Amino acid sequence: MSWSFLKNHSRTLLLAIPSGVALAGCLWRIIKKYPSTIIMIPTEENQFILSQCPSFSEYRPTPWLFNSHLMTVFGVLFRALPKIIFQRILLPVDDSGGTIAIDWHTRPCSGQPVLIILHGLTGGSDNEYVRWMILSAHSKLDMCCAVVHARGCGRSQLTSPRSFCAASTHDLRMSVQYVRSIVGNDTPIFAVGYSLGAGILTKYLGEEGNESRLNGAIICCASFDMLLSTANMEQWWHTHTYNRRLTNNLIRYIRRHEHHFLKTESLPNLNMNEAYQSKTIRDFDRHVIVPQYGFRDVEHYYTEASSKKWLKHIRTPTLILSAIDDPICPIDGLPIDDVLQNPYLIAVKTVEGGHVSYLQGWWPRTYSYDNVAVVEYIKARLKQMNYTFENKTEEQNLLNINV
């Protein structure tokens, strides 16, 4: 190859080199293995679950999403938003006028298993990952799904001067009681929580212990240690990307409901101007959540919101699903010893997956890996319970969801 040829075609060669590297990288990611780490006590019940859930052994990510940041961002930007028409009810949750919105994707039939879905920070039923979970559970298992919103989320109105809080399980407890009152004691109810919702679900399960009204739960991408997660989010890169975006979402949330906080005299320590100037999630929590809920400081709040200490108290069969490369909620916060001492827990740590993403296939516009794992787990639990459901959609078999 002559020097003149290289000189004349240098630009083409320079462009070809990164393309070739990228192609080689994709090919390598297609053939490599991604063995998941499964942590559990090998009881007969857990071994049965494992035999029914082949997806637990490996999650194969979309080949061209080379790192957790791409995976996380594309999980938000790339997936299509399915069209679902919800039936919304407003559930009263306290004596001061507080309500939460619960979106049913359809009215449940008598005996039809129900899946409660808990969203992430400032999310709701209009998030892609929520809707694809609904479609997956309904199409594969004929489940009825109900999205339980945090206060003021999901385009709902805050009806009292009380925002959501990661340390509070009260609203979830009221939601489970409401769903149970509709379907009765014999119909299975499962719950899946994502990110913030996963942490609240973990704490709820631990607090309830043997009194839990759920037949199974899935904890996806949870922050088990809020102090660790917050410190992780304050690294330089995270501060200027995820932290800034999430903080702006929180500021928009409080602006939308500011009339409740401007007129009340019950929260003298809540300064809205300081809240609007928050640069990080920690700032926002210090100015908004701490004074509302009476925490000593933000560290006290994060300690109370950390769900890791509740894992040992869970008495509901529960799947924990997290990615080792999660850039927002580090899996290091999961206390492995507590999982290995609780026969009700199965933890699956995937090699990749990002945060609430788990995209798969070459063109990841639809179902994600978490949909597959959740469906397999619930199906296995229903088999364990020897529960079968024959869908009868006649009007007389539909249950009343009104409060």
Side-chain angles (χ1 to χ4, degrees):
M1 186 179 294
S2 66
W3 171 251
S4 60
F5 177 86
L6 292 174
K7 185 176 181 180
N8 293 334
H9 296 82
S10 59
R11 180 175 298 181
T12 302
L13 291 172
L14 287 173
L15 290 174
I17 290 172
S19 300
V21 171
L23 179 59
C26 283
L27 292 174
W28 166 243
R29 287 171 60 78
I30 290 172
I31 62 175
K32 72 175 288 190
K33 300 295 184 182
Y34 299 85
S36 299
T37 303
I38 300 175
I39 307 163
M40 68 178 193
I41 299 177
T43 62
E44 183 179 344
E45 292 80 6
N46 285 346
Q47 294 284 21
F48 174 79
I49 292 287
L50 211 57
S51 70
Q52 300 294 306
C53 301
S55 68
F56 289 6
S57 62
E58 183 181 31
Y59 155 61
R60 302 193 62 82
T62 295
W64 48 271
L65 295 176
F66 290 98
N67 60 51
S68 62
H69 303 299
L70 286 174
M71 177 68 72
T72 301
V73 171
F74 271 82
V76 176
L77 300 179
F78 198 72
R79 296 176 81 181
L81 182 66
K83 183 177 181 180
I84 300 177
I85 299 176
F86 294 98
Q87 300 180 57
R88 171 166 291 189
I89 67 99
L90 296 178
L91 179 69
V93 290
D94 58 37
D95 296 332
S96 62
T99 60
I100 58 171
I102 299 181
D103 285 353
W104 292 86
H105 97 280
T106 183
R107 283 172 58 191
C109 300
S110 178
Q112 183 178 21
V114 174
L115 177 61
I116 294 173
I117 301 176
L118 308 173
H119 58 80
L121 189 68
T122 68
S125 59
D126 54 354
N127 287 136
E128 292 84 357
Y129 66 89
V130 170
R131 293 198 178 191
W132 284 110
M133 188 66 256
I134 292 172
L135 292 184
S136 185
H138 183 63
S139 63
K140 303 295 184 182
L141 298 175
D142 201 14
M143 299 186 79
C144 179
C145 299
V147 183
V148 172
H149 290 89
R151 297 190 185 206
C153 291
R155 302 183 184 180
S156 65
Q157 293 299 313
L158 204 60
T159 55
S160 69
R162 195 81 156 175
S163 68
F164 63 84
C165 170
S168 176
T169 59
H170 171 78
D171 294 353
L172 174 56
R173 186 169 289 103
M174 297 294 292
S175 301
V176 174
Q177 291 176 7
Y178 155 73
V179 175
R180 183 57 75 188
S181 71
I182 290 174
V183 302
N185 292 326
D186 298 327
T187 299
I189 302 177
F190 296 86
V192 56
Y194 290 93
S195 195
L196 174 69
I200 294 173
L201 177 58
T202 304
K203 188 177 181 182
Y204 163 82
L205 292 168
E207 289 176 345
E208 291 296 294
N210 290 318
E211 303 301 317
S212 171
R213 310 295 299 277
L214 298 174
N215 299 97
I218 302 92
I219 298 164
C220 188
C221 303
S223 170
F224 297 101
D225 186 334
M226 291 284 283
L227 292 166
L228 175 65
S229 296
T230 304
N232 173 69
M233 289 287 281
E234 291 170 349
Q235 300 177 71
W236 186 89
W237 168 262
H238 292 68
T239 296
H240 292 84
T241 52
Y242 306 116
N243 206 327
R244 178 175 294 175
R245 178 181 176 87
L246 292 172
T247 302
N248 289 338
N249 288 345
L250 288 168
I251 292 173
R252 281 194 292 271
Y253 166 86
I254 206 70
R255 279 191 186 278
R256 194 164 65 246
H257 306 298
E258 70 175 3
H259 57 284
H260 284 292
F261 304 102
L262 291 175
K263 68 181 181 181
T264 182
E265 298 178 356
S266 61
L267 298 170
N269 296 323
L270 198 161
N271 187 314
M272 295 300 289
N273 289 329
E274 290 180 340
Y276 293 150
Q277 294 172 19
S278 298
K279 301 300 183 183
T280 64
I281 296 173
R282 186 190 295 269
D283 289 342
F284 181 89
D285 289 338
R286 180 184 297 114
H287 298 317
V288 177
I289 305 299
V290 169
Q292 279 189 77
Y293 284 84
F295 296 108
R296 293 189 303 272
D297 49 38
V298 73
E299 285 73 25
H300 179 213
Y301 168 43
Y302 290 157
T303 299
E304 291 300 309
S306 296
S307 58
K308 62 180 181 180
K309 61 187 175 185
W310 294 102
L311 287 168
K312 62 172 70 94
H313 302 293
I314 293 177
R315 296 297 179 266
T316 300
T318 299
L319 170 66
I320 298 169
L321 184 62
S322 289
I324 293 174
D325 70 347
D326 190 323
I328 294 177
C329 295
I331 191 60
D332 293 342
L334 176 66
I336 303 301
D337 289 344
D338 289 348
V339 177
L340 289 173
Q341 294 173 21
N342 189 335
Y344 293 91
L345 304 179
I346 298 176
V348 177
K349 297 199 301 182
T350 60
V351 177
E352 297 185 16
H355 185 70
V356 192
S357 187
Y358 281 118
L359 300 183
Q360 56 185 1
W362 276 99
W363 197 245
R365 296 275 291 167
T366 57
Y367 298 106
S368 52
Y369 167 76
D370 58 289
N371 302 150
V372 178
V374 170
V375 165
E376 286 184 354
Y377 182 75
I378 294 175
K379 186 176 181 179
R381 280 290 299 132
L382 291 172
K383 283 186 178 180
Q384 280 185 327
M385 298 166 62
N386 293 317
Y387 190 86
T388 57
F389 166 68
E390 182 181 353
N391 192 350
K392 298 179 180 179
T393 56
E394 293 82 359
E395 183 65 27
Q396 64 268 24
N397 292 316
L398 296 178
L399 301 176
N400 181 17
I401 61 175
N402 294 323
V403 178

